[in-house]
Structure formats: C-alpha cells, structure tokens
Amino acid sequence: MFSKYSIAPTIYLMDRNYPSLKKMIDIPLAGNSYVIRCKSVFCPEVVDFVNPNEEDAILTLKITNKRIHNTFFKTLSKVPDEVQTRVVRILFPTREYEYLLTNTDFTIEELAYLYQLRWRVEGYYCVLKEKMQLENFSSKTVEGVKQDFFVKILTSNIASLLIADAQSQLDQEQKVSNKYAYQINQNVALGIIKNEIITLLMNQSLNMEPDS
C-alpha cells in the first residue's frame, strides 16, 4: 500500500494548513507520495489516534456524504468509499508532539528528517515575499506581471549565488585572521544587488568567451 521514496517520483512535504482527503487521494493516484503535518484535531480518526498516545498507525477514513460536501472532489471521476493513510507522532525540538500523515513506509526518524527539509523552502518564500516584494507588481498587464515575477526570481537566484560565494571567501579568511564567525548580511547584500542588477548584467567582463 505504501511506497518507498526510491520508487516515488515526487514527495510532497506540506504544513498543517494543507491536509485534505482530496490530496490524500490525488497524490497517490499520480504515483507520488506525501508527508503532511496535521493538527491533532484534523479529523475524528486522528483524534482517536492521539488520545491513547500511540506513535504509528494506519487510519481508514470513510468518505461520508458530509466529507464529500465539505471537500473539493470535483476533479475525481469516482469518489472512493474510504482512504487509508498512515499517521505518526513526532516529538519536535520544542518538546511538543506533532502529527504527520503519509502514504510512505519511512521510519519515524526518516519522516521527521523529511519534514524538516521544507524549512529552507519556507525560508526562500520569505525572501521572495518580504525582501524581494514578489507580490508588489509595477504593472497591471499580464505581460508586465510576468516580467516583474521573472526579474525578481532571476535577481534572487543571482543574489543567492553571489552571497554564497562571498560567504565562502569570508569563511576562508576567518580561518586564519579572526576567531569570530561572521555572516554576510543578506538583507544589505540583497538590497545592493537589487539596485545594481542591471549594471551587473550589462557588465561586458561577465560575458567572456569560455576557454577553448
């Protein structure tokens, strides 16, 4: 019933605002896997799992008329009678228990590691939305919005490369000259790159022919 990551093309890692019966149907139908954090009161079946303090169980979620009414099943040609999913309890560093739904057979330790991988993605969303102001468009036309979007993504990618390179050089210098570990100020660096991106891209010295 459950699939190892070695045969699953994609593993969807989702926070606790995303669990739904439809996702637990759609994702496996496409041959993929999911790891979804859910609230302890997500559904009655999860509540029943939480109360006895179990760590790992297979749940059978009946697709009742009420659930069909409250969930978007419009894209399914046939709604199944039930959905089976696995639920595990994870102890986070905060000493709080969280609950993950999945259709994989990873160990609890592997699932905890997988779920933590999404934090870098969340961090990048923060960069795009807050620092790059991705949703602050200068145009109201379709093409203008697309241009704004792709320019900011390109600028963010270039900034990430430059900041990583600068941090690597700084780390090397600090090994021999300083006992303190300094970090590149990403906010300042990003602001400079945003303002100088046109000059940077137009710099002819960056367009050198590769060595033959």
Side-chain angles (χ1 to χ4, degrees), residues 28-86:
L29 280 177
N32 299 314
S33 300
Y34 60 82
V35 177
I36 311 175
R37 183 180 176 185
C38 73
K39 296 179 181 179
S40 60
V41 293
F42 167 61
C43 66
E45 291 86 350
V46 171
V47 172
D48 291 340
F49 166 80
V50 170
N51 290 335
N53 291 322
E54 296 184 68
E55 290 190 344
D56 196 335
I58 304 299
L59 303 182
T60 298
L61 310 181
K62 298 292 184 181
I63 309 300
T64 62
N65 289 333
K66 181 178 179 181
R67 282 176 166 166
I68 291 175
H69 177 74
N70 292 335
T71 312
F72 297 103
F73 283 107
K74 295 179 181 179
T75 60
L76 296 177
S77 57
K78 181 180 179 182
V79 178
D81 295 328
E82 61 186 36
V83 174
Q84 281 198 323
T85 189
R86 179 182 170 206

CSV table of all heavy atoms in Angstrom, one decimal, residues 28-86:
chain,number,residue,atom,x,y,z
A,28,PRO,N,-1.4,10.0,-4.4
A,28,PRO,CA,-1.1,8.6,-4.7
A,28,PRO,C,-1.6,8.2,-6.1
A,28,PRO,O,-0.9,7.4,-6.8
A,28,PRO,CB,-1.8,7.8,-3.6
A,28,PRO,CG,-1.9,8.8,-2.5
A,28,PRO,CD,-2.2,10.1,-3.2
A,29,LEU,N,-2.7,8.7,-6.6
A,29,LEU,CA,-3.2,8.4,-7.9
A,29,LEU,C,-2.2,8.8,-9.0
A,29,LEU,O,-2.1,8.2,-10.1
A,29,LEU,CB,-4.6,9.0,-8.2
A,29,LEU,CG,-5.8,8.4,-7.6
A,29,LEU,CD1,-7.1,9.2,-7.8
A,29,LEU,CD2,-6.0,6.9,-8.1
A,30,ALA,N,-1.5,9.9,-8.7
A,30,ALA,CA,-0.5,10.3,-9.7
A,30,ALA,C,0.9,9.6,-9.5
A,30,ALA,O,1.8,9.9,-10.2
A,30,ALA,CB,-0.3,11.9,-9.5
A,31,GLY,N,0.9,8.6,-8.6
A,31,GLY,CA,2.1,7.9,-8.4
A,31,GLY,C,3.1,8.5,-7.5
A,31,GLY,O,4.3,8.2,-7.5
A,32,ASN,N,2.6,9.5,-6.7
A,32,ASN,CA,3.5,10.3,-5.8
A,32,ASN,C,3.3,10.0,-4.3
A,32,ASN,O,2.3,9.3,-4.0
A,32,ASN,CB,3.4,11.8,-6.1
A,32,ASN,CG,3.8,12.1,-7.5
A,32,ASN,OD1,4.8,11.6,-8.1
A,32,ASN,ND2,2.9,12.9,-8.2
A,33,SER,N,4.1,10.6,-3.5
A,33,SER,CA,3.9,10.4,-2.0
A,33,SER,C,3.7,11.7,-1.3
A,33,SER,O,4.0,12.7,-1.9
A,33,SER,CB,5.2,9.6,-1.5
A,33,SER,OG,5.3,8.4,-2.1
A,34,TYR,N,3.2,11.6,-0.1
A,34,TYR,CA,3.0,12.8,0.7
A,34,TYR,C,3.5,12.6,2.1
A,34,TYR,O,3.4,11.5,2.6
A,34,TYR,CB,1.6,13.3,0.6
A,34,TYR,CG,0.6,12.3,1.2
A,34,TYR,CD1,0.3,12.2,2.5
A,34,TYR,CD2,-0.1,11.5,0.3
A,34,TYR,CE1,-0.6,11.3,3.0
A,34,TYR,CE2,-1.1,10.5,0.8
A,34,TYR,CZ,-1.3,10.5,2.2
A,34,TYR,OH,-2.2,9.5,2.7
A,35,VAL,N,3.9,13.7,2.7
A,35,VAL,CA,4.1,13.8,4.1
A,35,VAL,C,3.5,15.1,4.6
A,35,VAL,O,4.0,16.2,4.2
A,35,VAL,CB,5.6,13.8,4.5
A,35,VAL,CG1,5.8,14.0,6.0
A,35,VAL,CG2,6.3,12.5,4.0
A,36,ILE,N,2.4,15.1,5.3
A,36,ILE,CA,1.6,16.2,5.6
A,36,ILE,C,1.4,16.4,7.1
A,36,ILE,O,1.0,15.5,7.7
A,36,ILE,CB,0.2,16.2,4.9
A,36,ILE,CG1,0.3,15.8,3.4
A,36,ILE,CG2,-0.5,17.5,5.1
A,36,ILE,CD1,-1.1,15.6,2.8
A,37,ARG,N,1.8,17.5,7.6
A,37,ARG,CA,1.6,17.8,9.0
A,37,ARG,C,0.1,18.1,9.2
A,37,ARG,O,-0.4,18.9,8.5
A,37,ARG,CB,2.5,18.9,9.5
A,37,ARG,CG,2.4,19.3,10.9
A,37,ARG,CD,3.4,20.4,11.2
A,37,ARG,NE,3.3,20.9,12.6
A,37,ARG,CZ,4.0,22.0,13.0
A,37,ARG,NH1,4.7,22.7,12.2
A,37,ARG,NH2,3.9,22.4,14.3
A,38,CYS,N,-0.4,17.5,10.3
A,38,CYS,CA,-1.8,17.8,10.5
A,38,CYS,C,-2.0,18.2,12.0
A,38,CYS,O,-1.2,17.8,12.9
A,38,CYS,CB,-2.7,16.7,10.2
A,38,CYS,SG,-2.7,15.3,11.3
A,39,LYS,N,-3.1,18.9,12.3
A,39,LYS,CA,-3.4,19.2,13.7
A,39,LYS,C,-4.0,17.9,14.4
A,39,LYS,O,-4.5,17.0,13.7
A,39,LYS,CB,-4.5,20.3,13.7
A,39,LYS,CG,-4.0,21.6,13.2
A,39,LYS,CD,-5.1,22.7,13.2
A,39,LYS,CE,-4.6,24.0,12.6
A,39,LYS,NZ,-5.7,25.0,12.6
A,40,SER,N,-3.8,17.9,15.7
A,40,SER,CA,-4.3,16.8,16.5
A,40,SER,C,-5.8,16.6,16.4
A,40,SER,O,-6.3,15.5,16.7
A,40,SER,CB,-3.9,16.9,17.9
A,40,SER,OG,-4.4,18.1,18.5
A,41,VAL,N,-6.5,17.6,15.9
A,41,VAL,CA,-8.0,17.5,15.8
A,41,VAL,C,-8.4,17.6,14.3
A,41,VAL,O,-9.5,18.0,14.0
A,41,VAL,CB,-8.7,18.7,16.6
A,41,VAL,CG1,-8.5,18.5,18.1
A,41,VAL,CG2,-8.1,20.0,16.2
A,42,PHE,N,-7.5,17.2,13.4
A,42,PHE,CA,-7.8,17.3,12.0
A,42,PHE,C,-9.1,16.5,11.6
A,42,PHE,O,-9.9,17.0,10.8
A,42,PHE,CB,-6.6,16.7,11.2
A,42,PHE,CG,-6.9,16.5,9.8
A,42,PHE,CD1,-7.3,17.5,8.9
A,42,PHE,CD2,-6.8,15.2,9.2
A,42,PHE,CE1,-7.6,17.3,7.6
A,42,PHE,CE2,-7.1,14.9,7.9
A,42,PHE,CZ,-7.5,16.0,7.1
A,43,CYS,N,-9.2,15.4,12.2
A,43,CYS,CA,-10.5,14.6,11.9
A,43,CYS,C,-10.7,13.6,13.1
A,43,CYS,O,-9.7,13.4,13.9
A,43,CYS,CB,-10.4,13.8,10.6
A,43,CYS,SG,-9.1,12.6,10.6
A,44,PRO,N,-11.8,13.1,13.2
A,44,PRO,CA,-12.1,12.2,14.4
A,44,PRO,C,-11.1,11.0,14.4
A,44,PRO,O,-10.7,10.6,15.5
A,44,PRO,CB,-13.5,11.7,14.1
A,44,PRO,CG,-14.2,12.8,13.3
A,44,PRO,CD,-13.1,13.3,12.5
A,45,GLU,N,-10.7,10.5,13.3
A,45,GLU,CA,-9.8,9.3,13.3
A,45,GLU,C,-8.4,9.7,13.9
A,45,GLU,O,-7.8,8.9,14.6
A,45,GLU,CB,-9.6,8.8,11.9
A,45,GLU,CG,-10.8,8.1,11.3
A,45,GLU,CD,-11.8,9.1,10.6
A,45,GLU,OE1,-11.6,10.3,10.8
A,45,GLU,OE2,-12.7,8.7,10.0
A,46,VAL,N,-8.0,10.9,13.6
A,46,VAL,CA,-6.7,11.4,14.2
A,46,VAL,C,-6.9,11.6,15.7
A,46,VAL,O,-6.0,11.3,16.4
A,46,VAL,CB,-6.2,12.7,13.4
A,46,VAL,CG1,-5.0,13.3,14.2
A,46,VAL,CG2,-5.8,12.4,12.0
A,47,VAL,N,-8.0,12.2,16.1
A,47,VAL,CA,-8.3,12.4,17.5
A,47,VAL,C,-8.2,11.1,18.2
A,47,VAL,O,-7.6,11.0,19.3
A,47,VAL,CB,-9.6,13.1,17.7
A,47,VAL,CG1,-10.0,13.1,19.2
A,47,VAL,CG2,-9.6,14.5,17.1
A,48,ASP,N,-8.8,10.0,17.7
A,48,ASP,CA,-8.8,8.7,18.3
A,48,ASP,C,-7.3,8.2,18.4
A,48,ASP,O,-7.0,7.4,19.3
A,48,ASP,CB,-9.6,7.7,17.5
A,48,ASP,CG,-11.1,8.1,17.6
A,48,ASP,OD1,-11.5,8.8,18.6
A,48,ASP,OD2,-11.9,7.6,16.8
A,49,PHE,N,-6.5,8.5,17.4
A,49,PHE,CA,-5.1,8.1,17.4
A,49,PHE,C,-4.3,8.9,18.5
A,49,PHE,O,-3.5,8.3,19.2
A,49,PHE,CB,-4.5,8.4,16.1
A,49,PHE,CG,-3.0,8.3,16.1
A,49,PHE,CD1,-2.3,7.0,16.0
A,49,PHE,CD2,-2.2,9.4,16.1
A,49,PHE,CE1,-0.9,7.0,16.0
A,49,PHE,CE2,-0.8,9.4,16.1
A,49,PHE,CZ,-0.2,8.1,16.1
A,50,VAL,N,-4.6,10.1,18.7
A,50,VAL,CA,-3.9,11.0,19.6
A,50,VAL,C,-4.1,10.6,21.1
A,50,VAL,O,-3.2,10.5,21.9
A,50,VAL,CB,-4.2,12.5,19.4
A,50,VAL,CG1,-3.7,13.3,20.5
A,50,VAL,CG2,-3.7,13.0,18.1
A,51,ASN,N,-5.4,10.3,21.4
A,51,ASN,CA,-5.7,10.1,22.8
A,51,ASN,C,-5.0,8.9,23.5
A,51,ASN,O,-4.5,9.1,24.6
A,51,ASN,CB,-7.2,9.9,22.9
A,51,ASN,CG,-8.0,11.1,22.7
A,51,ASN,OD1,-7.5,12.2,22.8
A,51,ASN,ND2,-9.3,11.0,22.2
A,52,PRO,N,-4.8,7.8,22.9
A,52,PRO,CA,-4.0,6.7,23.6
A,52,PRO,C,-2.5,6.9,23.5
A,52,PRO,O,-1.8,6.0,24.0
A,52,PRO,CB,-4.4,5.4,22.8
A,52,PRO,CG,-5.6,5.8,21.9
A,52,PRO,CD,-5.4,7.3,21.6
A,53,ASN,N,-2.0,8.0,22.9
A,53,ASN,CA,-0.6,8.3,22.9
A,53,ASN,C,0.1,7.2,22.0
A,53,ASN,O,1.2,6.8,22.4
A,53,ASN,CB,0.0,8.4,24.3
A,53,ASN,CG,-0.4,9.6,25.0
A,53,ASN,OD1,-0.6,10.7,24.4
A,53,ASN,ND2,-0.7,9.5,26.3
A,54,GLU,N,-0.4,6.8,20.9
A,54,GLU,CA,0.3,5.9,20.0
A,54,GLU,C,1.3,6.7,19.2
A,54,GLU,O,1.3,7.9,19.2
A,54,GLU,CB,-0.7,5.2,19.1
A,54,GLU,CG,-1.8,4.4,19.7
A,54,GLU,CD,-2.6,3.7,18.7
A,54,GLU,OE1,-2.1,2.8,18.0
A,54,GLU,OE2,-3.8,4.0,18.7
A,55,GLU,N,2.2,6.0,18.6
A,55,GLU,CA,3.3,6.6,17.8
A,55,GLU,C,3.1,6.4,16.3
A,55,GLU,O,3.6,7.2,15.5
A,55,GLU,CB,4.6,6.1,18.2
A,55,GLU,CG,5.1,6.6,19.6
A,55,GLU,CD,6.5,6.2,19.9
A,55,GLU,OE1,7.1,5.4,19.1
A,55,GLU,OE2,7.1,6.8,20.8
A,56,ASP,N,2.4,5.3,15.9
A,56,ASP,CA,2.3,5.0,14.5
A,56,ASP,C,1.1,4.1,14.3
A,56,ASP,O,0.9,3.1,15.0
A,56,ASP,CB,3.6,4.2,14.1
A,56,ASP,CG,3.8,4.1,12.6
A,56,ASP,OD1,2.8,4.2,11.8
A,56,ASP,OD2,5.0,4.0,12.1
A,57,ALA,N,0.3,4.4,13.2
A,57,ALA,CA,-0.9,3.7,13.0
A,57,ALA,C,-1.4,3.9,11.6
A,57,ALA,O,-1.0,4.9,10.9
A,57,ALA,CB,-2.0,4.0,14.0
A,58,ILE,N,-2.2,3.0,11.1
A,58,ILE,CA,-2.8,3.1,9.8
A,58,ILE,C,-4.3,3.5,10.0
A,58,ILE,O,-5.0,2.8,10.8
A,58,ILE,CB,-2.8,1.8,9.0
A,58,ILE,CG1,-1.4,1.3,8.8
A,58,ILE,CG2,-3.5,2.0,7.6
A,58,ILE,CD1,-0.5,2.3,8.0
A,59,LEU,N,-4.7,4.6,9.4
A,59,LEU,CA,-6.1,5.0,9.6
A,59,LEU,C,-6.9,4.8,8.4
A,59,LEU,O,-6.4,4.9,7.3
A,59,LEU,CB,-6.1,6.6,9.9
A,59,LEU,CG,-5.3,7.1,11.1
A,59,LEU,CD1,-5.5,8.6,11.2
A,59,LEU,CD2,-5.7,6.4,12.4
A,60,THR,N,-8.2,4.4,8.6
A,60,THR,CA,-9.1,4.3,7.5
A,60,THR,C,-10.2,5.4,7.6
A,60,THR,O,-10.9,5.5,8.6
A,60,THR,CB,-9.8,2.9,7.5
A,60,THR,OG1,-8.9,1.9,7.4
A,60,THR,CG2,-10.9,2.8,6.4
A,61,LEU,N,-10.1,6.3,6.6
A,61,LEU,CA,-11.0,7.5,6.7
A,61,LEU,C,-12.2,7.2,5.7
A,61,LEU,O,-12.0,7.1,4.5
A,61,LEU,CB,-10.3,8.7,6.2
A,61,LEU,CG,-8.9,9.0,6.9
A,61,LEU,CD1,-8.3,10.3,6.4
A,61,LEU,CD2,-9.1,9.1,8.4
A,62,LYS,N,-13.4,7.1,6.3
A,62,LYS,CA,-14.6,6.8,5.5
A,62,LYS,C,-15.0,8.1,4.7
A,62,LYS,O,-15.0,9.2,5.3
A,62,LYS,CB,-15.7,6.4,6.3
A,62,LYS,CG,-15.4,5.0,7.1
A,62,LYS,CD,-15.4,3.9,6.1
A,62,LYS,CE,-15.2,2.5,6.9
A,62,LYS,NZ,-15.1,1.4,5.9
A,63,ILE,N,-15.3,8.0,3.4
A,63,ILE,CA,-15.7,9.1,2.6
A,63,ILE,C,-17.2,9.3,2.8
A,63,ILE,O,-18.0,8.7,2.0
A,63,ILE,CB,-15.3,9.0,1.2
A,63,ILE,CG1,-13.8,8.7,1.1
A,63,ILE,CG2,-15.6,10.3,0.4
A,63,ILE,CD1,-12.9,9.8,1.7
A,64,THR,N,-17.6,9.9,3.8
A,64,THR,CA,-19.1,10.1,4.0
A,64,THR,C,-19.6,11.2,3.2
A,64,THR,O,-18.9,12.0,2.6
A,64,THR,CB,-19.3,10.4,5.5
A,64,THR,OG1,-18.6,11.7,5.8
A,64,THR,CG2,-18.7,9.4,6.4
A,65,ASN,N,-21.0,11.3,3.1
A,65,ASN,CA,-21.6,12.4,2.4
A,65,ASN,C,-21.2,13.8,2.9
A,65,ASN,O,-21.0,14.7,2.2
A,65,ASN,CB,-23.1,12.3,2.4
A,65,ASN,CG,-23.6,11.1,1.6
A,65,ASN,OD1,-23.0,10.7,0.6
A,65,ASN,ND2,-24.7,10.5,2.0
A,66,LYS,N,-21.0,13.9,4.2
A,66,LYS,CA,-20.6,15.1,4.8
A,66,LYS,C,-19.2,15.5,4.4
A,66,LYS,O,-18.9,16.7,4.0
A,66,LYS,CB,-20.6,15.1,6.4
A,66,LYS,CG,-20.2,16.3,7.1
A,66,LYS,CD,-20.3,16.2,8.6
A,66,LYS,CE,-19.9,17.5,9.3
A,66,LYS,NZ,-20.0,17.4,10.7
A,67,ARG,N,-18.3,14.6,4.3
A,67,ARG,CA,-17.0,14.8,3.8
A,67,ARG,C,-16.9,15.2,2.3
A,67,ARG,O,-16.1,16.0,1.9
A,67,ARG,CB,-16.0,13.7,4.1
A,67,ARG,CG,-15.6,13.6,5.6
A,67,ARG,CD,-14.8,12.4,5.9
A,67,ARG,NE,-14.2,12.6,7.2
A,67,ARG,CZ,-13.6,11.6,7.9
A,67,ARG,NH1,-13.6,10.3,7.5
A,67,ARG,NH2,-13.0,11.8,9.1
A,68,ILE,N,-17.8,14.5,1.6
A,68,ILE,CA,-17.8,14.9,0.1
A,68,ILE,C,-18.3,16.3,0.0
A,68,ILE,O,-17.8,17.1,-0.8
A,68,ILE,CB,-18.8,13.9,-0.6
A,68,ILE,CG1,-18.1,12.5,-0.6
A,68,ILE,CG2,-19.1,14.4,-2.0
A,68,ILE,CD1,-19.1,11.5,-1.2
A,69,HIS,N,-19.3,16.7,0.8
A,69,HIS,CA,-19.8,18.1,0.7
A,69,HIS,C,-18.8,19.1,1.1
A,69,HIS,O,-18.7,20.2,0.6
A,69,HIS,CB,-21.1,18.2,1.6
A,69,HIS,CG,-21.7,19.6,1.7
A,69,HIS,ND1,-22.4,20.1,0.6
A,69,HIS,CD2,-21.6,20.5,2.7
A,69,HIS,CE1,-22.8,21.3,0.9
A,69,HIS,NE2,-22.3,21.6,2.2
A,70,ASN,N,-18.0,18.8,2.1
A,70,ASN,CA,-17.0,19.8,2.7
A,70,ASN,C,-15.7,19.7,2.0
A,70,ASN,O,-14.8,20.5,2.3
A,70,ASN,CB,-16.8,19.5,4.2
A,70,ASN,CG,-18.1,19.8,5.0
A,70,ASN,OD1,-18.9,20.6,4.6
A,70,ASN,ND2,-18.2,19.2,6.1
A,71,THR,N,-15.5,18.8,1.0
A,71,THR,CA,-14.2,18.7,0.4
A,71,THR,C,-14.3,18.8,-1.2
A,71,THR,O,-15.4,18.4,-1.7
A,71,THR,CB,-13.5,17.3,0.7
A,71,THR,OG1,-13.6,17.1,2.1
A,71,THR,CG2,-12.1,17.3,0.3
A,72,PHE,N,-13.3,19.3,-1.8
A,72,PHE,CA,-13.4,19.5,-3.3
A,72,PHE,C,-13.0,18.2,-4.0
A,72,PHE,O,-11.9,17.9,-4.2
A,72,PHE,CB,-12.4,20.6,-3.7
A,72,PHE,CG,-12.7,22.0,-3.1
A,72,PHE,CD1,-12.0,22.5,-2.1
A,72,PHE,CD2,-13.8,22.7,-3.7
A,72,PHE,CE1,-12.3,23.7,-1.5
A,72,PHE,CE2,-14.1,23.9,-3.1
A,72,PHE,CZ,-13.4,24.4,-2.1
A,73,PHE,N,-14.1,17.4,-4.4
A,73,PHE,CA,-13.9,16.2,-5.1
A,73,PHE,C,-14.3,16.3,-6.6
A,73,PHE,O,-14.4,15.3,-7.2
A,73,PHE,CB,-14.7,15.1,-4.4
A,73,PHE,CG,-14.1,14.5,-3.2
A,73,PHE,CD1,-14.7,14.8,-1.9
A,73,PHE,CD2,-13.0,13.7,-3.2
A,73,PHE,CE1,-14.1,14.3,-0.8
A,73,PHE,CE2,-12.5,13.2,-2.0
A,73,PHE,CZ,-13.0,13.5,-0.8
A,74,LYS,N,-14.4,17.5,-7.0
A,74,LYS,CA,-15.0,17.7,-8.4
A,74,LYS,C,-14.1,17.1,-9.5
A,74,LYS,O,-14.6,16.7,-10.5
A,74,LYS,CB,-15.2,19.2,-8.6
A,74,LYS,CG,-16.2,19.8,-7.7
A,74,LYS,CD,-16.4,21.3,-8.0
A,74,LYS,CE,-17.4,21.9,-7.1
A,74,LYS,NZ,-17.6,23.4,-7.3
A,75,THR,N,-12.8,17.0,-9.3
A,75,THR,CA,-11.9,16.6,-10.3
A,75,THR,C,-11.8,15.0,-10.4
A,75,THR,O,-11.2,14.5,-11.3
A,75,THR,CB,-10.5,17.1,-10.1
A,75,THR,OG1,-10.0,16.7,-8.8
A,75,THR,CG2,-10.4,18.6,-10.2
A,76,LEU,N,-12.4,14.3,-9.4
A,76,LEU,CA,-12.4,12.9,-9.4
A,76,LEU,C,-13.6,12.3,-10.1
A,76,LEU,O,-14.7,12.7,-9.9
A,76,LEU,CB,-12.4,12.4,-8.0
A,76,LEU,CG,-11.2,12.7,-7.1
A,76,LEU,CD1,-11.4,12.2,-5.7
A,76,LEU,CD2,-9.9,12.1,-7.7
A,77,SER,N,-13.3,11.4,-11.1
A,77,SER,CA,-14.4,10.8,-11.8
A,77,SER,C,-15.2,9.8,-10.9
A,77,SER,O,-16.4,9.6,-11.1
A,77,SER,CB,-13.9,10.0,-13.0
A,77,SER,OG,-12.9,9.0,-12.6
A,78,LYS,N,-14.5,9.2,-9.9
A,78,LYS,CA,-15.2,8.4,-9.0
A,78,LYS,C,-14.6,8.6,-7.6
A,78,LYS,O,-13.4,8.5,-7.4
A,78,LYS,CB,-15.0,6.9,-9.4
A,78,LYS,CG,-15.7,5.9,-8.5
A,78,LYS,CD,-15.5,4.5,-8.9
A,78,LYS,CE,-16.2,3.5,-8.0
A,78,LYS,NZ,-16.0,2.1,-8.4
A,79,VAL,N,-15.5,8.9,-6.6
A,79,VAL,CA,-15.0,9.1,-5.3
A,79,VAL,C,-15.0,7.7,-4.5
A,79,VAL,O,-15.9,7.0,-4.5
A,79,VAL,CB,-15.9,10.0,-4.5
A,79,VAL,CG1,-15.5,10.2,-3.1
A,79,VAL,CG2,-16.0,11.4,-5.2
A,80,PRO,N,-13.8,7.4,-4.0
A,80,PRO,CA,-13.7,6.1,-3.3
A,80,PRO,C,-14.5,6.1,-2.0
A,80,PRO,O,-14.9,7.1,-1.5
A,80,PRO,CB,-12.2,6.0,-3.0
A,80,PRO,CG,-11.7,7.4,-2.9
A,80,PRO,CD,-12.5,8.1,-3.9
A,81,ASP,N,-14.8,4.9,-1.5
A,81,ASP,CA,-15.6,4.8,-0.3
A,81,ASP,C,-14.7,5.1,1.0
A,81,ASP,O,-15.3,5.5,2.0
A,81,ASP,CB,-16.1,3.3,-0.1
A,81,ASP,CG,-17.1,3.0,-1.2
A,81,ASP,OD1,-17.8,3.9,-1.6
A,81,ASP,OD2,-17.1,1.8,-1.6
A,82,GLU,N,-13.4,5.0,0.9
A,82,GLU,CA,-12.5,5.3,2.0
A,82,GLU,C,-11.1,5.6,1.5
A,82,GLU,O,-10.8,5.3,0.4
A,82,GLU,CB,-12.5,4.1,3.0
A,82,GLU,CG,-12.0,2.8,2.3
A,82,GLU,CD,-12.0,1.6,3.2
A,82,GLU,OE1,-13.0,1.5,4.0
A,82,GLU,OE2,-11.1,0.8,3.2
A,83,VAL,N,-10.4,6.2,2.4
A,83,VAL,CA,-9.0,6.5,2.1
A,83,VAL,C,-8.1,6.0,3.3
A,83,VAL,O,-8.5,6.2,4.5
A,83,VAL,CB,-8.7,8.0,2.0
A,83,VAL,CG1,-7.2,8.3,1.9
A,83,VAL,CG2,-9.5,8.6,0.8
A,84,GLN,N,-7.1,5.2,3.0
A,84,GLN,CA,-6.2,4.8,4.0
A,84,GLN,C,-5.0,5.7,4.0
A,84,GLN,O,-4.4,6.0,3.0
A,84,GLN,CB,-5.8,3.3,3.8
A,84,GLN,CG,-6.8,2.3,4.2
A,84,GLN,CD,-6.3,0.9,4.4
A,84,GLN,OE1,-5.4,0.5,3.6
A,84,GLN,NE2,-6.8,0.2,5.4
A,85,THR,N,-4.6,6.0,5.2
A,85,THR,CA,-3.4,6.9,5.4
A,85,THR,C,-2.7,6.4,6.7
A,85,THR,O,-3.3,5.9,7.6
A,85,THR,CB,-3.7,8.4,5.4
A,85,THR,OG1,-2.5,9.1,5.3
A,85,THR,CG2,-4.5,8.7,6.7
A,86,ARG,N,-1.4,6.7,6.7
A,86,ARG,CA,-0.6,6.4,7.9
A,86,ARG,C,-0.4,7.7,8.7
A,86,ARG,O,-0.2,8.8,8.1
A,86,ARG,CB,0.7,5.8,7.5
A,86,ARG,CG,1.7,5.5,8.6
A,86,ARG,CD,3.0,5.0,8.1
A,86,ARG,NE,4.0,4.9,9.1
A,86,ARG,CZ,5.3,5.0,8.9
A,86,ARG,NH1,5.7,5.2,7.6
A,86,ARG,NH2,6.2,4.8,9.9
